[in-house]
Amino acid sequence: MIYGVKRVTKYLLGIDIAGRDLAVYPDDTFIVSYPRSGNTWTRFLVANLIHSGQPVTFDNIERLIPDCEAQSSRYLKRVARPRIIKSHSYFDPRYPRVIYIVRDPRDVALSYYDFSRKYRHFDDSYPLQRYIEDFVAGRLLSADWGTWAENVASWAFARAARPGFLLLRYEDMQVRPEQELTRIAEFFGIDASPERLQTAIESSSAERMRKMERTQGKDWVSTKNKRDDIPFIRTAVAGGWKEKLPPESVAEIESAWGSIMAPLGYELVTQGVGRVEPPLAAAAGFVVGKQRE
Amino acid sequence: MIRYLVEGIKRACGLHSPGRNLAILPDDIFLVSYPKSGNTWARFLIANFLYPGQHPDWGNIDRLIPAPEVMSKRDFEKMPRPRVIRTHDAFNPRYKQVIYIVRDPRDVALSQYHHHRKRKLIEDNHPFESFLPRFLAGETNVHGSWKQNVASWLAARNGDPKFLLLRYEDMLLDTPRELSRIGGFLGVEATPERLSMAIEHSSPKEMRRLEQVQADDCGLTKGTRQDLPFVRTAKSGNWRSDMPESSVAAIETAWGSLMQFLGYELAFGDQAGPVESAFPVSAMGGPLR
């Protein structure tokens, strides 16, 4: 009952979290990904690219590119249009324009494990291997976003090759940030000079973001009141799973999601899992190989 | 302000429609489809199959198999379990047990065109050719385009034992077989008597007869044109005679590979364009049939 009253009051005051109830405008652009897939980095890249006059920080990022799953409906209504909004939502047909970032789920799982401990979803004694089992089976809080495969596949399959949908791989952004940021700039209709791209990339470096997390992390909505011995900005590298993930866990992930991973260009190491015929994979609108042409 | 206050009071009393915030119970079963794909027929079939004593009709179908956008939060809380809930939502990970009905998009397009006439959203003389681009772009309703809706579900769930994929065309062709598959999914034994009773009470003829007397009792038909029926042809393949060739080609160009994946033969063969139709069949465990 008290819970109900609280909800109604929040709704009346417009301070309920927007989430899936967000009022979407036709000129909105969304930066979407599964959690722990480089969304914050992309947010900083985009904000630094578009607002090149001012340094983007954890203090102003919520104003520049608000998080619709952390901010209220009222807050989002007041953001200047056209809005760029950050989201982790599974496929939402209402989102008109979407940049979707996908990351190797083997790295996502590792990162999510640290993140969940930071958020005190469980304590350090929860073994990684059991975590992976629960992560894959969708038994954790993370499953509110769908499982990794559900979130990725629902977007990639529904919007594949459609105008207004840009699929990026975190790994490509790591290897060739200029090229990938150029694609982002084109998506926003910005003709960015190499200097502007370079400045945006440098202003969004992992090092700089780590420094900001140390000084501003206490106030930022995503890090406030969370454990500060585990960083939000973690390794910022691709392939950490090769060293840190037990082979059983790798097999667990690949046997569940291999058929989605392979067409996205993530090489499977477990024998006999998710084999995909190249011509079919090439026919897929979201095959990342296309970008390598 | 008054509007907000009324809405607030409704919420406090649980009289608002929960929509996508519906509190889901672990044994809920969702009957999902894109609009105009046989969802209402399936609803009648299932309601007649599960609750024969309630004599499902247009007056009580919204209560027996409710939609989260239509019925109130309180109605949902009072329902006997397991609940069967109908929706047109694109993929939603919170729906764990799903019966998904898919229909040939060429027929869906035609059906939706006539439905929009019935709901006075377009004039009678509105050319189909100008309706179609909006249909392809997913602008004719809030559930995405046909392709986006179908693909989002298949991509996430196809092959999952808790995901039952049915084709409207198969349901027409062999209703007892498909309804007993539904029975199996619901965990209810499908005796021949039970099947034939449910099918008989859900026939297009019976549904049309009830619609004529109860059109004002159901949210689906209330306030719409009464000279056009909600239960239309209840057939498959109308597009062959009723749709301009160029429109057929446009649909197949846009969605050809997903249509083929679902077993819908293309009139224009493999000329389907490679762009939006690009569909990673391999990632979904191969074609259906």
Side-chain angles (χ1 to χ4, degrees), chain B residues 69-94:
Chain B
E69 301 79 31
V70 178
M71 301 307 277
S72 75
K73 180 166 170 276
R74 193 184 278 187
D75 292 327
F76 275 97
E77 285 163 358
K78 285 194 296 199
M79 278 179 76
R81 289 170 64 178
R83 310 183 295 187
V84 182
I85 298 165
R86 82 99 205 205
T87 158
H88 294 308
D89 285 351
F91 172 66
N92 185 334
R94 301 201 305 139

Side-chain angles (χ1 to χ4, degrees), chain A residues 1-269:
Chain A
M1 181 61 197
I2 297 293
Y3 176 72
V5 170
K6 248 173 100 177
R7 270 190 65 162
V8 169
T9 315
K10 279 190 168 180
Y11 168 80
L12 286 173
L13 296 175
I15 55 171
D16 51 324
I17 295 297
R20 299 278 293 191
D21 289 330
L22 171 75
V24 176
Y25 302 133
D27 55 352
D28 285 341
T29 302
F30 288 82
I31 300 177
V32 187
S33 75
Y34 203 63
R36 313 313 293 165
S37 299
N39 201 314
T40 305
W41 182 33
T42 311
R43 243 170 127 186
F44 270 75
L45 283 170
V46 170
N48 275 312
L49 178 76
I50 291 180
H51 307 279
S52 44
Q54 57 176 320
V56 178
T57 66
F58 283 122
D59 289 335
N60 63 16
I61 189 70
E62 291 299 324
R63 191 165 49 74
L64 301 172
I65 303 185
D67 178 345
C68 70
E69 284 121 5
Q71 302 297 341
S72 69
S73 322
R74 187 149 98 161
Y75 183 93
L76 282 149
K77 221 180 263 178
R78 292 179 176 181
V79 171
R81 289 172 65 177
R83 306 181 297 185
I84 304 172
I85 298 171
K86 173 244 159 165
S87 162
H88 289 312
S89 185
Y90 48 90
F91 176 61
D92 189 327
R94 303 175 311 145
Y95 290 10
R97 290 172 59 76
V98 170
I99 297 175
Y100 192 90
I101 308 136
V102 68
R103 186 183 184 186
D104 189 324
R106 293 164 293 199
D107 280 335
V108 173
L110 264 182
S111 176
Y112 221 136
Y113 177 69
D114 285 348
F115 171 83
S116 303
R117 289 186 298 121
K118 179 177 178 64
Y119 267 54
R120 301 188 185 87
H121 293 160
F122 44 76
D123 60 42
D124 291 352
S125 64
Y126 188 59
L128 176 64
Q129 211 169 321
R130 213 183 91 211
Y131 171 80
I132 301 291
E133 284 169 28
D134 291 339
F135 181 73
V136 170
R139 286 191 287 260
L140 302 167
L141 278 175
S142 52
D144 289 355
W145 312 112
T147 63
W148 175 86
E150 288 178 337
N151 195 298
V152 171
S154 69
W155 276 109
F157 282 53
R159 290 280 171 96
R162 184 180 180 270
F165 184 73
L166 178 64
L167 184 73
L168 301 172
R169 291 200 316 179
Y170 176 77
E171 293 76 13
D172 296 332
M173 291 169 62
Q174 287 281 357
V175 179
R176 32 167 205 267
E178 299 89 349
Q179 250 171 288
E180 298 305 292
L181 190 57
T182 305
R183 296 178 64 206
I184 294 177
E186 281 165 8
F187 190 75
F188 283 107
I190 298 171
D191 187 14
S193 65
E195 295 76 41
R196 189 168 165 188
L197 292 173
Q198 208 46 51
T199 311
I201 291 165
E202 276 163 23
S203 308
S204 314
S205 71
E207 200 189 337
R208 190 165 169 272
M209 286 175 67
R210 269 190 211 110
K211 205 186 279 171
M212 283 190 288
E213 187 189 346
R214 278 197 295 273
T215 53
Q216 304 167 334
K218 281 190 173 49
D219 299 316
W220 186 39
V221 64
S222 295
T223 43
K224 207 168 152 178
N225 302 328
K226 306 295 185 289
R227 277 174 65 172
D228 53 15
D229 59 327
I230 303 171
F232 183 88
I233 308 298
R234 223 175 47 104
T235 61
V237 297
W241 63 271
K242 288 177 191 160
E243 273 176 32
K244 292 184 198 144
L245 208 57
E248 297 81 8
S249 298
V250 172
E252 180 110 33
I253 293 174
E254 293 184 358
S255 64
W257 299 334
S259 61
I260 309 285
M261 293 167 68
L264 287 164
Y266 297 123
E267 207 179 315
L268 308 180
V269 296

